[in-house]
Structures are given as structure tokens and as C-alpha cells.
């Protein structure tokens, strides 16, 4: 940030202060936010960056109706908002977003709608989804797929094939959790978890971790490793409630995040040598291929069926075996990035010959959040 | 046998209390913006489309269609056997999660876009949940 280049233009507190039993904690955030908008004469639609602490920025973006291209949930206690201001300044200076909303709301005395990150049993998800018996990702993340299958004619066999092809990749990787070959029938005959998803269409549950170290391209020359340069990045959130997604056949967070990353990178889809799409469940690569712009709407099932994403295909996808066969500890995005780095260093178990550009696309929650990173081993 | 006391209990907030008061009286309440006309759910005291605080509560017709679902096969103490977790589109536009009751919990019985009607089940003195059932003799 250049000194004097970023300014605070709107500021307001909640309408009341002191004892506010008539508002939940989330609404205190919203009340302050609406007052800050009024203070500077803009609408929520003008806001494209959101930062908050003590409340999930996903919840808040959806509650307020914001489509962000920058999201910051840094929560380090009472000074979180100072850090948000700093991160926002860097983000605006960098063009990640243009107008940032930073909110605080806390029902510290009345305790209305408290319950930790996400709001506990008073959150909208707890009130309007939990009573209907969803049991975590296998029965929530999966809900949209029948709508996709009906609208575009995707078959369960095509869905099963995704697990089969990823197992083929996993077989090349000594660190994969599962390596034995699979058939479409094997996948379909496995135990049903949440129709139409059998166990083999769901990610593994394993232990593990990963870490990354970043520095400037200039300093990278001093390191012994082959640098992987960032070309473009994108992020967004849509809704903490799968039932409130705009469209069950496409993820808005995927579209917004990837569009931003590709625009920033200047990379064309046809230039991409390697792609990682966070595959918590077998339908994720379908949504990813289409929402990132590698396939037209409704065509990803056939694209995978033609083995374009398989060994020897023109767009190798999830070459470590993915969350379905490699590993999935819970927040798999780290492993997608690790595989992109390995491919660009030339050290992957299933190495793509001459890979120069890799894209890693991650998801958070049930289509709730998304991040896309475009990388290269060559400086543009 | 399902133990309905094991169903997670919603804890209303001041912003959602009208919804739960409505279901207790057998009414499905959603909201509409007086400035831009946007009809929305879940409840908020302002419009998520245009940020206006000039909003009203509106009684929905209770008519809906089946948008998507899964049939959960993992055991949940509040439910019997495999059960569908569904999302329906209300005639007025908003979508909501629900269960489809008075209907076999099978892919054959649960056809996307089938017409549904709201029905209510009292869970506690405070909480009555809205559910949806097929219209006509589909069950």
C-alpha cells in the first residue's frame, strides 16, 4: 500500500448501544453495516469485500446479500478489525476488490444468538436446515446433484466413473490411501450413504497435514527449490445453507472466484496443463469443470467420460487421486495445492510431462466458499 | 423407532420469531420488500437484494415443488430408516429445506418437480416445523 492511497469513507455503530435484547448477534453486525452504508450513501450491492470476526464471513455475506471477491475471517481477538483494515488496504491496492465492509456485532450482555462461530443453534442453518436431519457433508453437499442430473441428463454411471478415473490416478501414487482398481459397478454396488451417492463417491476420512511457504519472486531466487509463481487468484463465498444456493446446477462462488483468478492471470483455459478440483464428493469435478469454464454447462459428464481428465488425457485432473482416493483429512484444499506444486516442480508421482501451468480450485462448506489459484513454474 | 425429541431444536432469534409464531398457527410466513418487491426467506429485517429496511411479512400459499433431495441412509436418532432431506421451491419463489412426509422415501416416489403442499408438525410448545407432502394421491 502506498501511503495515502486507501481511505475509510463510511463508519457507523449499531442504532442502539448498551442493552439490545431485540437483536441477535448476526443482526447487530447487519444493523451496523446498514448504518455504515447509509453514512456514505452506498448500497450493499456496491460492496465486494467483506471482513468480520466472531461471525463467519460466509454467514454474513449471505445474510447481507453480498457477492464478494475478497473475504477475510481473520479472528485474533479484539484487535481483529485493525488487522482487517490492514488486509483490506492490501486487497484494495492489489485490485482484489474495490469496496470493503468490515463489521463487528456482539450480544455481549443479552447473549441473543450467540453460540460461537456460525451462531450455534440460533444460526439460520440450525433453525431452518438442521431439524430436517442433515448429517454433515455426505447428506448436504450432495443435495444439489439430483437437480443437475435431471436438468442435464447426467447418469449415476457417469458420476461413478469419476471415482473410477481418480482411482486410476491414485494407483500411480505410492502415498495414496487406496490404489486397487475400481469399476463403475464396484462404485454403484457399494453401500449407499445418501442416494444417489454410494460410499465410493464420497471422500475419505484420513489424518494428515500440509504447509506452504511464500515469498517474493525476487527472494525466491535465493531458495534451493524450484519456484512456483502465482499468476492469478480468486475467492468468493455464497451461502452457509446449501438450501439457499442460487442454482443447484452451478456454484456462484466457483464462478466468481475462478473468473477473477483467470482474469488476473491472463491465462487461457487451453493453456492449463494440470487441474486440481477439490473433490469432496464425485459431483465436484463436474461442477468445477463447468463453473471454471473448462466445459460448457451440462457437458462435463461427457468430457470425463471421454477420458480427457484421465491418464493421457488433454486435461489431467486430480492427479494425486483426489479426496476420493488419495487422502481427505477434512480441509483438503491444502493437498490440492501440494499436488499443483509437485506437478510444477516436476516431482509428482503421476508427473504430467512438461507441465507449466496448474490451477488448484478449492471449496469450503457445502458450496459455501471457494478459492482458485493459477500457478506456473515460469515467470510470465 | 424414531425418537422425535432427538430432532435438533431451532432456537428462534428476534428476527425469526415471527416465522415460528406463524408455524405454530399453521401459517408459513415469508418476507417481501416494499421497495424492490423481492420475496425472500430465511427471515431478516431488511431486504437481502436491495438493503432496504422497508419489508413486510407475507403468508405463503404453502404450494411448492420438489427441487432436489438426497435419501440419507446413515442412522439419525430422530428419523426412521432412510429418509429424504429435500429442498422445495415455494410458489412465491424462495426455497427451503424440509422433509417430504406422507410419501415413500424412494427415488420412485420422490420425483423432482412434483407438486407439494405444506403441512405442520408440533415438536414442542414453542416449535412447530413445516413439512411438505405430495398433492393428490401421489403417496
Amino acid at each position: 500500500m502506498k501511503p495515502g492511497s486507501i481511505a475509510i469513507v463510511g463508519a457507523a455503530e449499531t442504532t442502539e448501544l448498551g442493552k439490545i435484547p431485540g437483536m441477535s448477534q448476526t443482526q447487530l453486525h447487519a444493523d451496523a453495516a446498514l448504518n455504515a452504508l447509509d453514512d456514505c450513501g452506498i448500497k450493499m450491492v456496491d460492496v465486494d469485500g467483506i471482513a468480520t470476526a466472531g461471525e463467519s464471513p460466509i454467514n454474513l455475506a449471505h445474510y447481507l446479500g453480498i457477492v464478494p471477491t475478497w473475504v477475510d475471517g481473520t479472528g485474533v481477538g479484539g484487535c481483529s478489525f485493525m488487522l482487517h483494515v490492514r488486509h483490506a488496504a492490501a486487497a484494495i491496492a492489489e485490485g482484489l476488490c474495490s469496496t470493503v465492509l468490515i463489521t463487528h456485532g456482539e450480544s455481549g450482555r443479552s447473549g441473543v444468538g450467540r453460540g460461537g462461530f456460525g451462531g450455534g443453534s440460533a444460526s439460520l442453518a440450525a433453525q431452518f436446515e438442521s431439524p430436517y436431519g442433515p448429517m454433515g457433508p455426505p447428506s448436504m453437499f450432495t443435495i444439489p446433484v439430483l437437480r443437475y442430473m435431471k436438468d442435464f441428463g447426467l447418469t449415476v454411471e457417469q458420476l461413478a466413473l469419476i471415482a473410477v478415473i481418480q482411482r486410476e490416478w491414485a494407483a500411480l501414487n505410492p502415498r495414496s490411501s487406496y490404489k486397487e482398481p475400481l469399476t463403475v459397478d464396484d462404485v454403484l454396488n457399494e453401500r449407499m450413504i445418501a442416494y444417489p451417492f454410494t460410499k465410493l463417491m464420497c471422500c475419505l476420512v484420513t489424518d494428515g497435514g500440509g504447509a506452504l511457504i511464500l515469498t517474493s519472486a525476487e527472494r525466491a531466487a535465493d531458495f534451493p527449490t524450484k519456484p512456483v509463481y502465482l499468476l492469478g487468484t480468486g475467492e468468493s463465498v455464497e451461502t452457509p445453507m446449501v438450501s439457499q444456493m442460487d442454482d443447484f446446477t452451478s456454484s456462484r462462488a466457483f464462478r466468481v472466484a475462478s473468473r477473477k483468478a483467470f482474469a488476473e492471470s491472463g491465462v487461457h483455459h487451453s493453456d492449463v496443463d494440470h487441474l486440481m478440483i477439490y473433490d469432496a464428493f464425485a459431483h465436484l469435478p463436474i461442477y468445477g469443470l463447468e463453473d471454471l469454464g473448462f466445459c460448457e454447462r451440462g457437458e462435463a459428464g461427457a468430457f470425463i467420460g471421454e477420458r480427457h481428465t484421465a491418464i493421457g488425457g488433454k486435461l489431467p485432473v486430480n492427479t494425486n487421486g483426489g479426496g476420493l482416493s488419495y487422502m481427505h483429512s477434512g480441509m483438503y484444499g491444502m493437498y490440492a495445492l501440494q499436488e499443483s506444486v509437485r506437478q510444477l516442480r516436476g516431482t509428482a508421482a503421476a508427473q504430467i510431462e512438461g507441465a507449466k501451468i496448474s490451477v488448484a480450485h478449492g471449496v469450503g462448506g457445502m458450496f459455501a466458499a471457494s478459492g482458485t489459484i493459477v500457478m506456473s513454474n515460469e515467470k510470465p | 423407532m424414531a425418537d422425535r425429541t432427538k430432532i435438533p431444536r431451532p432456537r428462534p432469534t428476534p428476527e425469526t420469531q415471527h416465522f415460528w409464531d406463524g408455524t405454530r398457527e399453521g401459517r408459513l410466513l415469508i418476507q417481501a420488500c416494499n421497495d424492490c418487491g423481492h420475496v425472500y426467506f430465511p427471515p431478516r429485517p431488511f431486504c437481502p437484494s436491495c438493503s432496504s429496511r422497508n419489508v413486510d411479512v407475507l403468508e405463503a400459499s404453502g404450494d411448492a415443488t420438489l427441487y432436489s433431495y438426497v435419501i440419507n441412509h446413515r442412522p439419525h436418532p430422530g428419523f426412521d430408516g432412510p429418509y429424504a432431506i429435500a429442498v422445495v421451491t415455494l410458489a412465491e419463489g424462495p426455497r427451503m429445506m424440509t422433509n417430504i412426509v406422507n410419501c415413500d422415501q424412494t427415488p420412485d416416489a420422490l420425483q423432482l418437480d412434483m407438486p407439494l403442499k405444506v403441512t405442520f408438525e408440533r415438536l414442542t410448545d414453542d416449535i412447530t416445523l413445516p413439512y411438505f407432502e405430495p398433492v393428490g394421491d401421489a403417496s
Side-chain angles (χ1 to χ4, degrees), chain A residues 53 77 155 170 207 286 304 314 346:
Chain A
T155 64
D207 301 326
I286 302 264
I304 292 168
K314 65 181 178 187

Side-chain angles (χ1 to χ4, degrees), chain B:
Chain B
M1 192 62 192
D3 176 358
R4 303 295 277 174
T5 66
K6 301 289 192 206
I7 292 174
R9 302 293 162 77
R11 192 152 56 88
T13 63
E15 299 82 32
T16 63
Q17 188 60 55
H18 70 269
F19 179 89
W20 299 111
D21 291 343
T23 56
R24 217 167 40 233
E25 299 163 0
R27 301 161 72 210
L28 186 67
L29 300 181
I30 53 179
Q31 287 174 291
C33 176
N34 292 318
D35 286 347
C36 76
H38 182 56
V39 178
Y40 65 92
F41 172 87
R44 270 157 282 195
F46 60 92
C47 172
S49 183
C50 77
S51 316
S52 168
R53 298 197 198 226
N54 182 16
V55 297
D56 273 334
V57 170
L58 169 83
E59 181 167 357
S61 62
D63 296 328
T65 53
L66 182 55
Y67 185 56
S68 202
Y69 65 91
V70 290
I71 301 172
N72 180 36
H73 283 247
R74 293 190 302 158
H76 186 306
F79 292 81
D80 280 324
Y83 60 96
I85 303 161
V87 175
V88 300
T89 307
L90 303 181
E92 292 80 7
R95 294 204 187 102
M96 55 191 301
M97 188 175 280
T98 190
N99 300 127
I100 310 300
V101 298
N102 303 322
C103 178
D104 287 343
Q105 304 291 291
T106 62
D108 273 351
L110 295 162
Q111 296 289 333
L112 295 202
D113 303 314
M114 67 195 275
L116 304 164
K117 185 86 189 163
V118 74
T119 178
F120 297 93
E121 183 189 320
R122 186 183 161 282
L123 206 60
T124 66
D125 286 348
D126 295 326
I127 298 295
T128 293
L129 289 175
Y131 292 100
F132 285 80
E133 62 183 357
V135 170
D137 59 359
S139 61

Side-chain angles (χ1 to χ4, degrees), chain A residues 191-230:
Chain A
R191 184 158 58 89
M192 190 63 77
I193 299 294
Y195 170 85
F197 289 80
T198 66
K199 186 169 170 240
L200 291 172
M201 299 173 185
C202 304
C203 65
L204 311 169
V205 181
T206 54
D207 301 326
L212 296 166
I213 295 172
L214 282 82
T215 189
S216 68
E218 199 177 307
R219 270 202 72 196
D222 301 334
F223 284 77
T225 45
K226 183 174 181 179
V228 171
Y229 301 102
L230 303 186

